[in-house]
């Protein structure tokens, strides 16, 4: 059960009732169970019904109940950023340990939670087991079907986690489903070459209410029938207990004994992406994205949910970086304390709750509440700009100059000036790029590149020092009454200095806007489609933008903290209600050629050059004849009358030569800034209106990395006394507010990483995601720059590794004021007599 949506809609009794119904079922039948609330749900239960939490905690301590999943907001992880997924696990695990007294060890969520880097994240957060059995609810996920009840699920970096599979003995929560499985068990189902003991997993979403279809009173008769059936001997275990038993004596990752019939290692070409090999008696699987189907109607309601999520993550990580850097200068602080811990973490908590799967798939029911959570998160992250304004008052500036802060982990160009990673620089002001009419169309040019829009609006030509490429103008389409409607008669509408606008089939209100952005030397393209009347329901009838006549020899796209070449996915099924979502019959459609892109798609030629296309949240893509299509708007019947048929998406187009995945990922994050104002979270800026003096340097770099294949993705701090609670061997012990750096290797290269950090640095540790020390990291003096010294930090990273460092950076330590020396200001001021 979950606090998000379920308790919002049904009332305060949902979580307490679910706890008590679960415990009743377990005690009545003599079985064990797993509890899966959203992490924020445990926190709400503690505040709203501490007696129910105490009952649950007692059942956990007795071993009757095991907490599983334990993400803070139960998201569809694939649709959210890498850092969001990491914070989902960290915040959820901390909540479970704080409130139930145990660290979660088994990851099992009801909804589709899959992407290639997840096994590594789970292991780094202390999980030892998982499950890939996802229930069909409003969504219809598909993952590879296995004969074996358990596999080693292998991530991109080689991390393996013992995982229960999708198989014939997976039971959904309906008693009717148990009849089928009981018959199949009797015929010997589940006794295969891997095991002689069948293993049944059943997902129950228990709530003792007549307004709900899954209650212990309905489940108990069939469960007791199974337990008393003389043909079977049933041993009740939690999922974690079963996986622990199956994992005993099995070699961990890196072992080669028993690896596949050919005896080749895990990098054998035929094994990549399919993982058809075994370690010991347990198969190893490294599933790729084309083997799964998420089962959701992406594009619905204009992708408002994933779009808000992406923007929210960027805002918070930017605020974190700004606050972490400002703390290095000592007092005066921009805030009361050296770092606004509660403020940033509350912004995360609101964002993580808003990312909940029900807020996405059930937008018609609870999307309005999610909007308030996204808004609250954004408001808490907004003070990042005010902190840069605070900093600007302490730096010598001339009138017209701009102070630019770069909240990303690599140097970036602003108006010809390199702005250091997580640092700042004083830059000249930035001017826009205007369109100029030519004989055959319109041209916008900067000092580095130009874009040519030809007269008949059929092609865009992008030219620069290292590229010259001609692309067909994208076109839109949708389906109405079973027939395709193509918006393909473009007409120039207006030229407004920096922006060209054209429309296609005005009856459908289809518009495009185009400009050349001077910050990134990229094309900013907006597509908006409002069909009148609306398009048909479903994903196959959705609004889409077609990219035909583009290079598609290879296509790359990103997933959370991963980048890979994509292929058409396995055919997926999608179901919808014919009427009322709870009571009407359901119908199906089949989705072919699908793939997802979290933030970008790279269209490539054979030589590796191409066009990187960044979008602002429209994540569903399809392979089609002649190119690719992007779903930008869909009518989802699950949202009933609240479904929004319109679609609007913003793209950034960037031609490039041959590049690696790390460069793709960095460009994708930079180009996302094109969708923001110049003073946005991607380049926090303050323009000086009159000359001023100051003592802080005009350029400051807190850290830099020498490895182009490794990207620093987050720079923040936490409070030792809260984050370190219950964590054994906590790296931040004694640091007060440890600095934390997240790094990701994107290009598949083992690396000795060289990181330069402002110092002195008292200690550096490589840790897991919870902050437990894995190794002490070497560091030594490097050089001085002005008033600051720098140290070189060296450590090793695996291919595709997500690494976390904890640092004690001396200049960033909290400086306490001697307020006792000023007691006379406050102590007796209320006794001052005022003469009449």
């Amino acid at each position: 059960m979950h606090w998000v949506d379920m308790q919002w809609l049904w009332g305060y009794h949902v979580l307490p009732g679910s706890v008590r119904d679960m415990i009743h079922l377990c005690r009545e039948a003599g079985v064990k169970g797993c509890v899966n609330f959203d992490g924020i749900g445990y926190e709400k239960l503690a505040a709203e019904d501490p007696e129910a939490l105490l009952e649950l905690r007692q059942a956990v301590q007795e071993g009757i109940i095991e907490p599983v999943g334990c993400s803070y907001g139960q998201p569809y992880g694939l649709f959210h950023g890498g850092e969001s997924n990491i914070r989902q696990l960290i915040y959820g695990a901390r909540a479970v340990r704080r409130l139930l007294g145990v660290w979660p060890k088994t990851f099992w969520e009801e909804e589709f939670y899959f992407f290639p880097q997840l096994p590594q994240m789970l292991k780094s957060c202390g999980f030892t087991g998982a499950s890939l059995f996802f229930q069909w609810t409003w969504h219809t996920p598909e993952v590879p079907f296995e004969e074996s009840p358990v596999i080693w699920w292998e991530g991109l970096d080689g991390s393996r986690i013992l995982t229960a599979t999708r198989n014939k003995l997976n039971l959904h929560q309906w008693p009717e489903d148990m009849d089928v499985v009981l018959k199949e068990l009797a015929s010997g189902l589940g006794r295969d070459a891997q095991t002689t003991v069948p293993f049944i997993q059943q997902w129950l979403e228990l709530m003792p209410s007549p307004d709900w279809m899954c209650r212990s009173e309905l489940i108990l008769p069939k469960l007791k029938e199974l337990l008393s059936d003389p043909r079977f001997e049933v041993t009740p275990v939690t999922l974690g207990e079963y996986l622990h038993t199956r994992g005993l004596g099995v070699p961990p990752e890196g072992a080669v004994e028993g690896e596949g019939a050919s005896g080749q290692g895990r990098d054998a070409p035929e094994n990549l992406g399919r993982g058809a090999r075994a370690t010991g008696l347990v198969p190893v699987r490294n599933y790729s994205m084309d083997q799964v189907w998420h089962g959701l109607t992406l594009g619905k309601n204009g992708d408002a949910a994933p779009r808000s999520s992406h923007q929210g993550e960027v805002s918070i990580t930017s605020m974190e970086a700004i606050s972490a850097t400002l703390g290095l200068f000592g007092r005066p602080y921009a805030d009361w304390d050296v770092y606004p811990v509660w403020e940033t973490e509350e912004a995360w908590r609101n964002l993580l709750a808003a990312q909940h799967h029900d807020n996405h798939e059930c937008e018609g029911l609870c999307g309005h509440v999610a909007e308030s959570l996204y808004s609250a998160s954004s408001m808490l992250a907004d003070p990042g700009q005010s902190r840069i304004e605070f900093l600007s008052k302490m730096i010598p500036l001339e009138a017209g100059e701009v102070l630019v802060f770069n909240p990303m982990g690599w140097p970036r160009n602003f108006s010809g000036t390199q702005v250091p990673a997580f640092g700042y620089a004083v830059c000249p002001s930035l001017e826009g790029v205007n369109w100029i009419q030519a004989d055959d169309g319109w041209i916008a040019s900067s000092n580095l590149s130009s874009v040519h829009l030809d007269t008949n609006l059929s092609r865009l030509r992008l030219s620069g020092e290292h590229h010259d490429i001609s692309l067909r103008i994208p076109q839109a389409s949708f389906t109405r009454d079973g027939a395709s409607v193509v918006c393909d008669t473009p007409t120039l509408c207006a030229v407004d200095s920096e922006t060209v606008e054209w429309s296609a089939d005005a009856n459908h209100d289809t518009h495009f806007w185009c400009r050349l952005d001077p910050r990134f030397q990229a094309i900013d393209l907006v597509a908006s489609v409002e069909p009148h009347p609306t398009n048909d329901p479903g994903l196959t009838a959705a609004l889409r933008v077609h990219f035909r006549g583009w290079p598609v020899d290879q296509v790359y796209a990103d997933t959370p903290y991963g980048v890979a070449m994509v292929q058409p996915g396995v055919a997926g099924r999608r179901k919808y209600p014919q009427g009322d979502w709870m009571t009407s019959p359901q119908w199906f459609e089949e989705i072919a050629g699908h793939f997802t892109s979290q933030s970008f798609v790279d269209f490539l030629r054979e030589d590796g050059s191409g066009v990187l296309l960044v979008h602002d949240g429209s994540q569903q893509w399809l392979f089609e004849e002649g190119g690719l299509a992007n779903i930008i708007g869909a009518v989802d019947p699950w949202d009933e009358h609240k479904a929004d048929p319109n679609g609007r998406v913003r793209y950034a187009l960037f031609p490039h030569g041959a590049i690696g995945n790390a460069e793709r990922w960095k460009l994708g994050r930079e180009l996302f800034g094109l969708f923001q104002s110049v003073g946005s979270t991607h380049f926090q800026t303050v323009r000086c209106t009159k000359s001023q003096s100051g003592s802080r340097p005009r350029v400051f770099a807190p850290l830099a990395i020498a490895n182009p294949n490794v990207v620093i993705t987050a720079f923040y701090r936490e409070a030792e006394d809260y984050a370190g609670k219950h964590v054994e061997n906590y790296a931040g012990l004694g640091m007060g507010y440890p600095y934390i750096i997240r790094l990701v290797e994107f290009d598949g290269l083992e690396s000795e990483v060289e990181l330069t950090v402002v110092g002195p640095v008292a200690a550096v540790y490589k840790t897991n995601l919870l902050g437990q020390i894995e190794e002490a990291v070497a560091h030594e003096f490097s050089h001085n720059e002005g008033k600051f010294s720098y140290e070189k930090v060296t450590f090793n990273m695996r291919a595709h590794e997500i690494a976390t460092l904890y640092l004690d950076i001396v200049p960033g330590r909290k400086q306490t004021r001697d307020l006792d020396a000023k007691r006379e200001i406050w102590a007796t001021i209320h006794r001052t007599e005022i003469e009449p």
Side-chain angles (χ1 to χ4, degrees):
M1 199 52 64
H2 32 86
W3 174 78
V4 170
D5 178 36
M6 301 300 292
Q7 185 157 305
W8 298 352
L9 298 177
W10 271 269
Y12 288 102
H13 65 274
V14 166
L15 294 183
S18 183
V19 165
R20 291 175 173 128
D21 207 36
M22 172 182 61
I23 294 175
H24 168 70
L25 184 147
C26 289
R27 295 192 188 281
E28 179 73 13
V31 297
K32 296 183 178 183
C34 300
V35 61
N36 175 254
F37 289 175
D38 38 13
I40 192 174
Y42 293 116
E43 294 177 345
K44 295 296 182 181
L45 189 64
E48 296 165 1
D49 198 329
E51 295 83 7
L53 179 68
L54 185 61
E55 293 176 43
L56 176 58
R57 184 181 176 109
Q58 180 62 34
V60 169
Q61 298 301 320
E62 292 177 21
I64 298 173
I65 301 296
E66 177 191 9
V68 298
C70 302
S71 60
Y72 192 79
Q74 294 182 333
Y76 290 108
L78 175 64
F79 306 142
H80 305 283
E83 198 59 30
S84 285
N85 276 280
I86 283 175
R87 305 303 175 97
Q88 286 281 5
L89 297 176
I90 294 173
Y91 283 45
R94 288 175 180 171
V96 169
R97 176 61 184 87
R98 191 171 61 249
L99 298 173
L100 296 182
V102 297
W103 288 106
K105 295 297 181 182
T106 309
F107 189 80
W108 185 16
E109 296 282 11
E110 176 192 19
E111 314 291 324
F112 180 85
Y113 206 136
F114 173 96
F115 51 87
Q117 283 284 38
L118 185 55
Q120 179 181 181
M121 293 182 185
L122 294 176
K123 287 198 68 174
S124 189
C125 211
F127 288 88
T128 57
S131 175
L132 286 175
F133 165 36
F134 306 118
Q135 187 173 217
W136 273 29
T137 54
W138 282 19
H139 79 322
T140 51
E142 299 280 357
V143 297
F145 190 90
E146 297 283 355
E147 293 296 330
S148 172
V150 65
I151 59 169
W152 285 103
W153 178 21
E154 184 176 79
L156 284 182
D157 72 321
S159 295
R160 293 176 184 170
I161 189 165
L162 202 61
T163 302
T165 64
R166 177 196 175 202
N167 60 69
K168 292 181 180 179
L169 294 187
N170 294 160
L171 275 173
H172 290 262
Q173 57 190 351
W174 318 119
E176 295 84 350
D177 201 25
M178 296 184 72
D179 289 326
V180 177
V181 172
L182 287 175
K183 292 178 182 178
E184 292 180 332
L185 271 175
S187 65
L189 180 68
R191 301 176 184 275
D192 53 35
Q194 302 296 335
T195 178
T196 59
V197 181
F199 173 59
I200 299 175
Q201 287 183 89
Q202 183 175 28
W203 185 278
L204 305 174
E205 201 163 6
L206 293 165
M207 182 167 67
S209 167
D211 199 26
W212 191 244
M213 291 182 287
C214 184
R215 311 183 296 277
S216 64
E217 63 181 282
L218 299 177
I219 300 298
L220 274 169
K222 287 293 181 183
L223 181 58
K224 289 181 177 180
E225 181 181 332
L226 169 64
L227 294 170
S228 61
D229 193 312
R231 295 172 297 175
F232 311 125
E233 179 183 350
V234 180
T235 302
V237 291
T238 68
L239 177 59
E241 288 174 339
Y242 171 77
L243 291 173
H244 176 72
T245 301
R246 287 303 310 271
L248 292 178
V250 177
E253 59 263 25
V256 295
E257 59 182 88
E259 290 229 343
S262 68
Q264 295 179 329
R266 75 178 189 88
D267 293 326
E270 65 268 31
N271 289 335
L272 294 179
R274 293 295 185 271
R277 61 194 188 284
T279 301
L281 294 177
V282 179
V284 178
R285 300 286 188 262
N286 53 355
Y287 301 128
S288 53
M289 287 304 302
D290 59 301
Q291 294 177 272
V292 302
W293 159 241
H294 54 72
L296 190 70
T297 304
L298 284 183
K300 72 193 194 80
N301 304 321
D303 282 309
R307 183 168 283 110
S308 296
S309 172
H310 191 173
Q311 292 172 343
E313 177 179 316
V314 167
S315 296
I316 299 174
T317 55
S318 298
M319 174 190 170
E320 288 181 325
I322 292 167
S323 301
T325 296
L326 290 186
L328 294 166
F329 290 102
R331 290 192 178 273
Y333 295 144
D335 305 277
W336 171 264
D337 215 339
V338 65
Y339 185 85
V341 172
W342 186 89
E343 202 172 325
T344 57
E345 295 194 353
E346 187 69 1
W348 273 117
R349 283 186 283 267
N350 280 290
L351 180 68
L352 301 179
Q355 291 171 344
H356 193 281
H357 63 264
D358 271 12
N359 288 333
H360 194 179
E361 70 178 354
C362 310
E363 286 177 82
L365 284 176
C366 56
H368 62 289
V369 183
E371 290 173 6
S372 69
L373 290 170
Y374 280 125
S375 178
S377 176
S378 176
M379 292 175 67
L380 285 165
D382 183 65
Q385 178 66 24
S386 66
R387 292 179 175 94
I388 296 302
E389 294 172 356
F390 172 85
L391 173 65
S392 71
K393 295 178 173 58
M394 303 179 184
I395 296 173
L397 295 170
E398 299 296 328
E401 290 184 323
V402 180
L403 177 67
V404 179
F405 185 89
N406 173 17
M408 297 186 183
W410 56 94
R412 300 168 61 214
N413 183 285
F414 184 95
S415 191
T417 301
Q418 282 288 97
V419 185
F422 301 126
Y424 67 82
V426 177
C427 304
S429 60
L430 193 64
E431 302 298 332
V433 178
N434 294 327
W435 287 93
I436 300 174
Q437 190 167 14
D439 292 339
D440 57 350
W442 293 85
I443 296 176
S445 298
S446 70
N447 59 334
L448 294 177
S449 62
S450 68
V451 55
H452 178 197
L453 181 65
D454 73 11
T455 304
N456 61 14
L457 296 178
S458 63
R459 302 197 76 80
L460 281 171
R461 181 176 179 180
L462 315 179
S463 302
E465 183 180 359
H466 302 293
H467 63 267
D468 190 348
I469 188 168
S470 180
L471 305 173
R472 181 177 172 180
I473 292 287
Q475 64 178 189
S477 75
F478 55 89
T479 300
R480 178 187 298 136
D481 298 329
S484 177
V485 178
V486 181
C487 310
D488 61 354
T489 55
T491 304
L492 183 67
C493 293
V495 178
D496 178 17
S497 65
E498 297 181 17
T499 306
V500 169
E501 176 188 356
W502 68 91
S503 65
D505 292 331
N507 290 336
H508 308 304
D509 201 7
T510 301
H511 290 268
F512 291 85
W513 293 265
C514 180
R515 71 186 183 98
L516 179 63
D517 189 274
R519 290 169 288 168
F520 306 102
Q521 309 303 320
I523 292 177
D524 181 4
L525 179 67
V526 178
S528 176
V529 184
E530 298 181 17
H532 303 301
T534 187
N535 50 297
D536 292 345
L539 191 57
T540 55
L543 307 179
R544 59 192 67 193
V545 176
H546 303 272
F547 296 89
R548 294 169 177 148
W550 288 44
V552 288
D553 293 312
Q554 290 183 334
V555 178
Y556 278 73
D558 61 331
T559 53
Y561 279 162
V563 180
M565 186 172 69
V566 296
Q567 300 175 14
V570 296
R573 291 168 290 175
R574 185 75 181 105
K575 66 170 185 170
Y576 303 99
Q578 295 180 15
D580 174 72
W581 68 269
M582 277 291 279
T583 60
S584 70
Q586 298 173 358
W587 57 277
F588 282 81
E589 64 177 351
E590 185 170 293
I591 312 300
H594 59 85
F595 72 94
T596 59
S597 147
Q598 187 189 69
S599 63
F600 69 78
V601 173
D602 202 358
F603 296 75
L604 295 180
R605 297 165 165 159
E606 288 184 355
D607 64 0
S609 66
V611 180
L612 187 75
L613 181 147
V614 177
H615 58 80
D616 66 345
S618 293
Q619 299 183 354
Q620 185 65 68
W621 290 73
L622 302 172
F623 283 90
E624 62 177 13
E625 185 176 355
L628 304 178
N630 184 205
I631 303 297
I632 69 168
V635 175
D636 189 344
W638 290 110
D639 289 326
E640 297 180 317
H641 66 281
K642 295 182 181 179
D644 182 357
N646 301 320
R648 181 184 174 94
V649 62
R650 198 163 182 178
Y651 301 110
L653 314 181
F654 185 81
H656 63 80
I659 57 176
N661 286 336
E663 188 65 20
R664 284 188 181 91
W665 196 89
K666 289 187 286 188
L667 281 171
R669 294 311 180 270
E670 287 191 37
L671 289 166
F672 185 80
L674 184 150
F675 311 137
Q676 312 292 319
S677 64
V678 174
S680 74
T681 52
H682 267 66
F683 264 137
Q684 294 278 3
T685 63
V686 176
R687 185 186 180 96
C688 181
T689 57
K690 61 180 180 180
S691 299
Q692 66 180 42
S693 60
S695 59
R696 293 187 177 176
R698 285 169 57 88
V699 179
F700 179 70
L703 49 83
I705 192 166
N707 306 70
N709 59 309
V710 178
V711 182
I712 306 174
T713 60
F715 181 47
Y716 65 104
R717 307 179 79 168
E718 63 187 19
E720 169 200 342
D721 57 352
Y722 183 78
K725 190 178 296 184
H726 310 303
V727 178
E728 295 182 5
N729 203 25
Y730 177 62
L733 188 64
M735 296 184 188
Y737 298 87
Y739 278 88
I740 303 168
I741 297 175
R742 192 99 59 232
L743 308 98
V744 181
E745 199 290 313
F746 281 99
D747 288 344
L749 303 174
E750 292 188 7
S751 304
E752 182 181 66
V753 179
E754 183 177 309
L755 181 70
T756 302
V757 182
V758 67
V761 177
V764 185
Y765 298 103
K766 193 176 180 185
T767 73
N768 66 7
L769 291 177
L770 296 174
Q772 290 180 300
I773 297 174
E774 294 179 345
E775 62 177 279
V777 175
H779 57 97
E780 61 183 5
F781 173 79
S782 174
H783 64 281
N784 288 314
E785 287 184 23
K787 297 180 181 179
F788 292 94
S789 67
Y790 285 82
E791 295 198 19
K792 184 172 69 173
V793 177
T794 56
F795 57 98
N796 294 320
M797 285 184 67
R798 302 184 305 276
H800 300 293
E801 182 179 356
I802 301 169
T804 302
L805 298 182
Y806 273 61
L807 301 91
D808 183 4
I809 304 177
V810 174
R813 290 175 176 174
K814 178 177 177 178
Q815 298 175 3
T816 303
R817 292 173 292 184
D818 185 8
L819 295 182
D820 286 341
K822 304 294 182 180
R823 295 183 64 84
E824 72 279 2
I825 297 175
W826 294 92
T828 58
I829 191 68
H830 60 287
R831 297 189 179 278
T832 301
E833 296 194 9
I834 302 176
E835 295 183 5

